[in-house]
Amino acid sequence: MRRTLTAVASILLFLGSAAIVDAQETPAPLDELLDRWEAAFNAGDYAAMAALHTADAKRMPPGEDLINGPAEIVERTQMFAGFEIELNTYSGLVDGKLGTSWGTYKLVGEIEGTPVTITGRWMNAAKKTSDGWKIYRDIWHEMSRM
């Protein structure tokens, strides 16, 4: 019985600490970075969006080759012209000059005249540079397409 109570208490403590971690708010610098990224994407200003990435940034789209640096980010993002994205951030953290955040996205637009909504999850890593916070790594995957 004592082992059972100890095991249950350990599980509850673990679940409680996991909930606390998941309930964190995204640090303001990362929240602001993501707000600027989302606004630039939705305005179709892919150069401004790409400028929010480090020079050595890597984007990792699902099922495709890496996207390397701001120039490739602009080139490969132009295919989403006319789409709007909504980012929902679950949590994030900053430790010195490095940070990470994660959440879900909803991308709405048209493909060959057919309305489409794509949803998924994303995660990125950011660095504090002399020009402010920038995205260093970015990965996402698709959960649904309607």
Side-chain angles (χ1 to χ4, degrees), residues 95-115:
D95 187 8
K97 293 185 175 190
L98 297 174
T100 186
S101 52
W102 53 92
T104 60
Y105 68 89
K106 180 178 176 182
L107 189 63
V108 178
E110 288 186 7
I111 298 176
E112 297 177 354
T114 302

Side-chain angles (χ1 to χ4, degrees), residues 11 15 63:
I11 291 169
L15 291 174

Side-chain angles (χ1 to χ4, degrees), residues 105 107 116-121 141-146:
Y105 68 89
L107 189 63
V116 65
T117 299
I118 303 168
T119 63
R121 293 187 183 113
H141 72 91
E142 190 175 309
M143 292 172 20
S144 71
R145 186 180 291 227
M146 300 176 272

Side-chain angles (χ1 to χ4, degrees), residues 25-90:
E25 289 186 22
T26 306
L30 299 182
D31 225 10
E32 292 162 8
L33 173 62
L34 294 169
D35 286 346
R36 291 193 326 266
W37 189 97
E38 183 178 31
F41 181 97
N42 288 336
D45 190 348
Y46 305 124
M49 186 204 75
L52 297 171
H53 295 76
T54 61
D56 60 344
K58 306 267 188 230
R59 296 191 80 204
M60 298 167 267
E64 296 181 31
D65 293 334
L66 286 176
I67 302 171
N68 299 292
E72 270 190 45
I73 290 171
V74 170
E75 179 184 326
R76 300 264 302 270
T77 306
Q78 290 175 349
M79 66 192 238
F80 293 104
F83 275 76
E84 289 214 2
I85 195 164
E86 178 185 317
L87 297 178
N88 294 301
T89 306
Y90 289 152

Side-chain angles (χ1 to χ4, degrees), residues 4-26:
T4 303
L5 289 175
T6 302
V8 169
S10 296
I11 291 169
L12 290 174
L13 283 173
F14 171 77
L15 291 174
S17 66
I20 290 168
V21 170
D22 289 342
Q24 291 178 6
E25 289 186 22
T26 306

